[in-house]
Amino acid sequence: MENNDLLKRIQELEETIELITFRQNLLFSNTSVDRAIYEYDITKKQYNLIMDLMDRYRTKIDNKEKVSHGKFEDEMYEIVPQHSGNYHFVESLTRAFWENDRWEEVFDELYRVLPKYQHIKKGF
């Protein structure tokens, strides 16, 4: 085995171990967010980018900028292309964050205004 092949194989193994460890930690934490991340097969890198996206939308909402769930979903699909077009994924993940008291204003602003979420009371 050549040096480059060996280095590539080691890197692949390290990435696999990192993914397995991340997924195992999700199972141990077992919050609704962790279950969604696990079930949708999101990587740690994607998860970190999703949290950055949630932070950006929190800032936009705090600054009274106009936001829409369509644009938000498009940005989410850029992070998680394996779920591109699956708005149920985006809604359920955003709602899971809301249920865990994280980025509540993002769910409230983007999805609670939709008729199907009108029944959800503030304070869960």
Side-chain angles (χ1 to χ4, degrees), residues 33-55:
V33 171
D34 295 328
R35 283 189 300 275
I37 296 294
Y38 184 87
E39 289 170 11
Y40 284 110
D41 204 23
I42 306 300
T43 67
K44 185 175 184 178
K45 180 180 178 182
Q46 288 171 323
Y47 181 57
N48 289 334
L49 292 171
I50 289 168
M51 290 190 297
D52 291 344
L53 177 64
M54 298 298 286
D55 280 338

Side-chain angles (χ1 to χ4, degrees), residues 11-23:
Q11 182 180 0
E12 288 171 355
L13 288 170
E14 288 174 346
E15 290 171 1
T16 300
I17 290 169
E18 182 181 324
L19 178 62
I20 291 169
T21 301
F22 175 66
R23 291 181 57 78

Side-chain angles (χ1 to χ4, degrees), residues 30-92:
N30 200 29
T31 66
S32 55
V33 171
D34 295 328
R35 283 189 300 275
I37 296 294
Y38 184 87
E39 289 170 11
Y40 284 110
D41 204 23
I42 306 300
T43 67
K44 185 175 184 178
K45 180 180 178 182
Q46 288 171 323
Y47 181 57
N48 289 334
L49 292 171
I50 289 168
M51 290 190 297
D52 291 344
L53 177 64
M54 298 298 286
D55 280 338
R56 282 195 308 278
Y57 268 76
R58 169 185 279 157
T59 299
K60 287 180 179 190
I61 292 164
D62 288 348
N63 291 336
K64 308 284 191 247
E65 294 178 35
K66 184 176 179 182
V67 294
S68 73
H69 64 270
K71 176 70 173 151
F72 177 74
E73 290 162 8
D74 288 342
E75 291 183 52
M76 187 71 78
Y77 302 146
E78 289 176 20
I79 296 169
V80 190
Q82 70 266 32
H83 294 293
S84 185
N86 183 355
Y87 70 90
H88 295 292
F89 153 71
V90 182
E91 284 182 21
S92 65

